[in-house]
């Protein structure tokens, strides 16, 4: 697959079918993008929408998806819906769709040929229920990365690692130099993210798919997964002195050389970019921890609650179409650090890390995100387990694996 922008798409509004001349109106959009890189990216959406004559009313909710989603859901179910709202594409909004609270976007998708341009197809499948499309996937965000500070390793007098084993082996030297080997925040999802990345890197794609997709408890109990839990125990020790809360605070520790590395999604690229750092010079990125190069095809999507106001409904349609236009896909994703969902856009301006992701995506080395495979309730139980594991060293790797097996066996 080539990420090459069709000249006609850039030059002609015919590539973007919106609802037609609609009355200019304000539209509140809620999301949890509040870090420096995230704010720069969402500003691209707002700028493009405002250029249509409408007005983007920013409804940023500080924290993370785990903090923001309950607020968003409460507003929608309580009769105070926003114009559009971010979720991760997958099963997070499933109950809202089933309750008839989310707008059917199928007509907009068909008018703009989403099925032909969105790649991989699983992204749009995750927005689809009973044959109807209910969300706009706006990016591909992969969790499968290890971000490394060149300054930290230079200060410690050791080479920048090329894989997970080398990173673990360098930890003592980093500590001697006063560095924290592994930066990790205290938001609940960060610990389970690290574990999921370790599963794919060390046990492989098949094991990941069987556990999260098939809910295979036997694989979860296997010796291969025992090795993953041992690695999680190593990660726990390496992150023991990392006392920050938010993921971007942990990323900043890598940017400033206080920490050797961070297991985090490719959205971390936005923070390096805002800080003026250059991939390959100031920092390195190892997809699949340098062990198993895979791209996860989860990411962000926007849903549009059903509104009674016809003018705002028309503005919703304009925004939905605009978010998947070629120009906006390029501008947004270059700032966000994510990959575009369109397979026909030009990313010559991408940095080295993004190009690595594009190459892996082009090879088809992809997996679906946990949000696409497990229910929100099941993933919450997984999150809770790893929060406890990373914060309570009395829980052994063996005990944690047994508890994980029980969660997988009863997951939906």
């Amino acid at each position: 697959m080539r990420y090459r922008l069709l000249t006609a798409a850039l030059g002609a509004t015919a590539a973007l079918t919106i609802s037609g001349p609609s009355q200019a109106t304000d539209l509140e959009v809620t999301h949890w993008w509040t870090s420096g890189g995230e704010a720069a990216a969402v500003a691209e959406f707002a700028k493009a929408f405002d250029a249509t004559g409408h007005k983007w009313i920013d409804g940023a909710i500080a924290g993370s998806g785990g903090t923001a989603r309950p607020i968003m859901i409460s507003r929608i179910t309580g009769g105070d819906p926003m114009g559009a709202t971010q979720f991760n594409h997958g099963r997070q909004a499933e109950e809202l769709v089933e309750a008839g609270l989310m707008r059917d976007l199928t007509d907009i998708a068909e008018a703009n040929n989403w099925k032909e341009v969105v790649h991989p197809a699983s992204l749009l499948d995750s927005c689809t229920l009973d044959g109807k499309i209910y969300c706009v996937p706006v990016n591909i965000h992969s969790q499968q990365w290890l971000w490394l500070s060149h300054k930290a390793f230079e200060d410690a007098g050791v080479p920048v690692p090329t894989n997970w084993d080398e990173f673990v082996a360098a930890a003592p030297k980093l500590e001697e130099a006063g560095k924290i080997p592994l930066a990790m925040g205290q938001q609940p999802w960060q610990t389970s993210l690290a574990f999921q990345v370790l599963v794919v890197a060390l046990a492989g794609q098949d094991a990941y798919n069987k556990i999260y997709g098939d809910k295979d408890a036997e694989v979860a109990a296997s010796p291969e997964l025992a090795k993953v839990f041992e690695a999680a125990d190593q990660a726990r020790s390496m992150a023991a002195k990392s006392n920050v809360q938010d993921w971007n605070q942990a990323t900043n520790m890598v940017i400033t050389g206080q920490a050797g590395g961070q297991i985090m999604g490719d959205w971390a690229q936005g923070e390096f970019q805002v800080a003026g750092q250059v991939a390959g010079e100031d920092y390195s990125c190892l997809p699949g921890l340098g062990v198993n190069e895979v791209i996860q095809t989860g990411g962000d999507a926007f849903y549009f609650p059903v509104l009674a106001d016809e003018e705002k409904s028309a503005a919703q349609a304009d925004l939905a179409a605009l978010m998947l236009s070629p120009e906006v896909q390029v501008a947004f994703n270059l700032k966000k650090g994510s990959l575009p969902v369109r397979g026909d856009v030009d990313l010559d301006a991408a940095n080295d890390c993004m190009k690595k992701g594009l190459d892996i995506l082009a090879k088809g080395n992809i997996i679906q995100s946990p949000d696409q495979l497990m229910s929100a309730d099941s993933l919450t139980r997984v999150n809770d387990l790893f929060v406890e594991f990373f914060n309570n060293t009395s829980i052994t790797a063996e005990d944690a694996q047994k508890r994980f097996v029980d969660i997988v066996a009863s997951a939906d």
Side-chain angles (χ1 to χ4, degrees):
M1 177 187 60
R2 298 175 61 215
Y3 278 79
R4 182 63 52 188
L5 183 64
L6 300 177
T7 302
L10 270 176
T13 56
L16 172 63
T17 302
I18 59 177
S19 60
S22 58
Q23 186 75 27
T25 187
D26 294 350
L27 200 69
E28 182 191 9
V29 184
T30 56
H31 59 87
W32 55 82
W33 288 328
T34 57
S35 75
E38 291 172 328
V42 77
E44 295 294 336
F45 279 149
K47 180 171 65 176
F49 188 60
D50 289 352
T52 68
H54 298 301
K55 180 64 176 176
W56 174 289
I57 305 299
D58 200 71
I61 300 173
S64 64
T67 301
R69 276 190 298 272
I71 297 171
M72 296 165 175
I73 292 170
S74 178
R75 282 191 54 184
I76 295 168
T77 57
D80 181 30
M82 61 295 291
T85 189
Q86 174 194 6
F87 284 103
N88 298 117
H89 43 70
R91 299 179 61 183
Q92 290 178 351
E94 197 171 69
E95 293 182 359
L96 295 173
V97 171
E98 290 171 342
L101 296 173
M102 290 300 190
R103 176 173 176 166
D104 178 1
L105 304 176
T106 307
D107 57 337
I108 301 168
E110 291 176 349
N112 291 281
N113 301 312
W114 288 0
K115 287 187 177 180
E116 284 70 38
V117 300
V118 173
H119 181 85
S122 60
L123 297 172
L124 207 55
D125 291 343
S126 293
C127 288
T128 305
L129 188 66
D130 297 331
K132 296 179 180 179
I133 296 170
Y134 289 93
C135 71
V136 183
V138 296
N139 58 13
I140 300 170
H141 259 323
S142 179
Q143 300 178 358
Q144 319 295 318
W145 297 85
L146 176 60
W147 305 90
L148 300 169
S149 166
H150 286 198
K151 182 181 187 303
F153 288 98
E154 182 180 342
D155 290 348
V158 291
V160 177
T162 62
N163 57 50
W164 174 255
D165 287 341
E166 291 178 5
F167 179 55
V168 173
K173 288 292 186 182
L174 288 167
E175 290 177 328
E176 288 175 14
K179 311 292 182 181
I180 295 171
L182 181 63
M184 183 175 289
Q186 299 301 309
Q187 292 164 307
W189 57 271
Q190 292 187 54
T191 50
S192 55
L193 179 150
F195 175 77
Q196 292 156 11
V197 174
L198 288 166
V199 170
V200 179
L202 304 182
Q205 294 165 248
D206 287 345
Y208 170 85
N209 287 327
K210 287 177 181 177
I211 291 168
Y212 287 92
D214 299 336
K215 290 49 171 203
D216 191 325
E218 289 187 10
V219 175
S222 68
E224 289 75 17
L225 259 290
K227 295 177 182 178
V228 175
F229 276 89
E230 290 170 6
D233 189 27
Q234 291 175 317
R236 175 170 63 176
S237 297
M238 294 166 68
K241 295 181 180 179
S242 179
N243 58 3
V244 295
Q245 176 66 23
D246 296 339
W247 70 268
N248 52 302
Q249 293 173 320
T251 305
N252 187 63
M253 294 173 68
V254 179
I255 291 171
T256 56
Q258 299 174 65
Q262 179 190 24
I263 299 174
M264 187 49 58
D266 52 13
W267 49 89
Q269 286 192 84
E271 304 304 302
F272 286 100
Q273 184 169 302
V274 167
Q277 295 211 334
V278 178
E281 295 180 13
D282 301 304
Y283 67 97
S284 291
C285 53
L286 300 182
L289 307 185
V291 180
N292 188 1
E293 294 190 348
V294 174
I295 284 294
Q296 186 173 287
T297 58
D300 301 296
F302 279 84
Y303 287 78
F304 296 79
V306 174
L307 299 178
D309 187 311
E310 292 184 3
E311 291 181 0
K312 291 189 182 298
S313 293
Q316 284 181 321
D318 291 346
L319 179 57
L322 190 70
M323 284 178 159
L324 272 182
S325 67
E327 302 93 330
V328 175
Q329 275 284 293
V330 171
F332 169 77
N333 283 293
L334 284 177
K335 294 285 180 65
K336 191 70 167 64
S338 48
L339 304 181
V341 302
R342 293 187 67 116
D344 59 355
V345 294
D346 179 16
L347 284 176
D348 285 343
N351 66 24
D352 288 349
C353 293
M354 186 180 287
K355 287 177 180 176
K356 286 182 182 180
L358 291 170
D359 288 342
I360 297 168
L361 185 63
K363 293 173 184 176
N365 295 343
I366 59 176
I367 57 173
Q368 289 183 287
S369 72
D371 292 310
Q372 294 170 291
L373 299 172
M374 270 190 181
S375 70
D377 287 343
S378 295
L379 288 176
T380 295
R381 295 175 64 201
V382 174
N383 285 352
D384 290 345
L385 169 61
F386 285 103
V387 168
E388 188 178 355
F389 175 72
F390 271 80
N391 285 285
N392 184 354
T393 56
S394 69
I395 301 174
T396 66
E398 293 80 5
D399 290 339
Q401 184 174 9
K402 291 176 183 176
R403 291 173 58 180
F404 183 66
V405 170
D406 291 340
I407 293 171
V408 171
S410 61
D412 59 0

